[in-house]
Amino acid sequence: MSCCGKFICEGCAYHLARGYSPFCNASRPRSPEENNKRLMERVEKYNDPEAMCALGNNYSLGQNEFLEDSAKAVELYQRASDLGCVRAHYNLANMFLIGNGVGMDKKKFTHHCQIAAMAGHEHAR
């Protein structure tokens, strides 16, 4: 993942090897704290759905210095999916499938999984 929260293809990886994002031309974060600060800024200041999904992953898995908080992860995934983030729809579907942070709900699982699949998410098919 680049500094601005967007996923890149292998063809752009050479640009990152030089230390800069191919999207925003910012340098890579030098520490996990700096990365977390950038993600939080993108969520709060720019309402960026990709950054919301990345933060949701951090809360869901308890990684990158975030405590595990499934309810917060679901909230971030929901906001990101409302803004059209395909990965957030897929992650929400999985949360509803296993009941992590929310009650198990097959209808909501199917709904979010179908949206992700129609948008091209390869694991949702």
Side-chain angles (χ1 to χ4, degrees), residues 11-24:
C12 293
Y14 76 93
H15 194 81
L16 274 177
R18 290 182 271 180
Y20 294 94
S21 167
F23 297 108
C24 67

Side-chain angles (χ1 to χ4, degrees), residues 7 19 32 38 46 50 72 103 115 120:
F7 279 91
R38 287 184 186 187
Y46 302 109
E50 292 296 330
K72 182 70 172 174
I115 291 173

Side-chain angles (χ1 to χ4, degrees), residues 93-114:
N94 285 323
M95 299 287 263
F96 283 115
L97 178 65
I98 60 175
N100 188 9
V102 291
M104 288 180 65
D105 190 329
K106 296 283 186 177
K107 284 185 178 182
K108 288 183 181 180
F109 161 74
T110 302
H111 169 76
H112 288 290
C113 206
Q114 285 178 339

Side-chain angles (χ1 to χ4, degrees), residues 14 52 70 92 95 121-122:
Y14 76 93
M52 288 176 201
S70 297
L92 263 178
M95 299 287 263
H121 194 287
E122 61 189 37

Side-chain angles (χ1 to χ4, degrees), residues 43-57:
V43 169
E44 294 167 1
K45 191 173 182 181
Y46 302 109
N47 213 26
D48 180 2
E50 292 296 330
M52 288 176 201
C53 190
L55 277 177
N57 290 340

Side-chain angles (χ1 to χ4, degrees), residues 17-64:
R18 290 182 271 180
Y20 294 94
S21 167
F23 297 108
C24 67
N25 211 26
S27 62
R28 278 190 251 169
R30 304 250 184 249
S31 67
E33 295 83 14
E34 184 180 349
N35 186 55
N36 294 341
K37 180 181 172 191
R38 287 184 186 187
L39 282 175
M40 295 297 285
E41 178 184 8
R42 293 194 67 79
V43 169
E44 294 167 1
K45 191 173 182 181
Y46 302 109
N47 213 26
D48 180 2
E50 292 296 330
M52 288 176 201
C53 190
L55 277 177
N57 290 340
N58 288 340
Y59 279 112
S60 177
L61 302 171
Q63 65 187 15
N64 297 328

